[in-house]
Amino acid sequence: MSAEWANICNHGKPVEDEKMKKNRITICPRSGQIYVTTGVSPWMMKVMKWGALGVLLLVWSCSVSYKLDGASINYDLVKTIQIRDFPNRAPLVYPPLSQVFDRALRDRYIEQTRLKAVSNNADINLEGEITGYDISNTAITADAYASKTRLTITVKVRYINNKNPKENVDQSFSAFQEYDSTKSLDEVQDQLIKLITTDLVDMIFNATVANW
């Protein structure tokens, strides 16, 4: 019993019988008021507090793992995805590009989400085409020669969430890499398209399922 409560009771000892002690019932002899305590010891209160903290940490860790796969997806609502091939419809066509891009895009969604790839009736459809493969000169030197050349790839993406159309995306994405103009495109082309594809896939993934 607290000192404050004892003072309220005119410094008298509380009236308790054995049955009341078991039930944690105390009567103030001064006012006649009845006080009911929880019957939980301080040690047990600490155990309960730490237990509650553990539950909160568990809930928090689950919510974090929901994000750590790289995506913010309601897996109760969407479970499958269909990723179609992206045909190369750029004015300048480099044949290996489509295969490199398609593989990288599929790998990202399959490896970094829990969505199952299907060939039809998917909850999410991802499709589009490669629309640009452009070469331009940059970093012109004082003698009017370009010291750098830029390769830019553009893709048109249509992301359709059949369960939640508000999340649909219809957008073009572009990424580029530069290389020394003293080198020919044939020398660096394969390496460049891998780097550019990685950047494009990052942008598409973030714009569709990552919500970053």
Side-chain angles (χ1 to χ4, degrees):
M1 179 176 301
S2 66
E4 292 80 5
W5 193 85
N7 288 332
I8 293 173
C9 293
N10 199 25
H11 302 284
K13 292 185 178 180
V15 177
E16 298 178 336
D17 62 18
E18 293 303 319
K19 183 179 294 186
M20 288 180 175
K21 288 181 179 179
K22 291 180 180 179
N23 294 323
R24 299 295 181 182
I25 299 174
T26 306
I27 302 175
C28 176
R30 176 67 175 174
S31 63
Q33 290 181 321
I34 299 175
Y35 293 82
V36 181
T37 60
T38 60
V40 179
S41 67
W43 179 84
M44 183 59 69
M45 286 296 294
K46 290 183 179 179
V47 172
M48 292 173 64
K49 287 180 180 179
W50 282 108
L53 180 60
V55 171
L56 289 175
L57 289 174
L58 179 61
V59 172
W60 178 82
S61 65
C62 290
S63 64
V64 170
S65 65
Y66 179 76
K67 298 284 186 179
L68 286 181
D69 63 0
S72 298
I73 298 174
N74 184 352
Y75 290 108
D76 293 330
L77 192 63
V78 294
K79 302 180 184 298
T80 58
I81 185 171
Q82 180 183 12
I83 304 176
R84 300 180 185 273
D85 290 340
F86 278 57
N88 194 338
R89 294 177 179 157
L92 178 61
V93 175
Y94 181 56
L97 175 58
S98 290
Q99 184 178 0
V100 171
F101 178 81
D102 290 340
R103 184 186 301 115
L105 190 65
R106 283 191 174 88
D107 288 347
R108 177 63 61 87
Y109 281 85
I110 299 306
E111 293 175 1
Q112 295 195 12
T113 73
R114 299 202 301 270
L115 296 172
K116 179 181 178 181
V118 296
S119 57
N120 53 59
N121 298 323
D123 297 324
I124 292 174
N125 293 101
L126 186 61
E127 60 187 32
E129 53 272 341
I130 299 169
T131 58
Y133 192 83
D134 304 305
I135 300 171
S136 58
N137 293 325
T138 62
I140 306 300
T141 62
D143 55 4
Y145 286 98
S147 60
K148 295 288 184 180
T149 302
R150 175 178 296 179
L151 173 62
T152 303
I153 299 175
T154 304
V155 294
K156 175 72 172 178
V157 175
R158 290 177 294 278
Y159 171 88
I160 303 169
N161 188 326
N162 295 304
K163 299 296 185 179
N164 186 6
K166 292 182 180 180
E167 295 185 355
N168 290 355
V169 175
D170 190 342
Q171 183 179 342
S172 290
F173 299 87
S174 294
F176 66 87
Q177 288 287 328
E178 295 181 348
Y179 60 98
D180 197 315
S181 295
T182 59
K183 296 182 179 179
S184 69
L185 180 60
D186 290 340
E187 293 180 76
V188 296
Q189 194 163 211
D190 288 336
Q191 179 183 2
L192 292 178
I193 65 170
K194 290 180 181 179
L195 296 174
I196 296 172
T197 292
T198 297
D199 291 340
L200 286 170
V201 170
D202 285 343
M203 288 187 283
I204 296 168
F205 188 84
N206 291 342
T208 55
V209 299
N211 295 327
W212 291 342

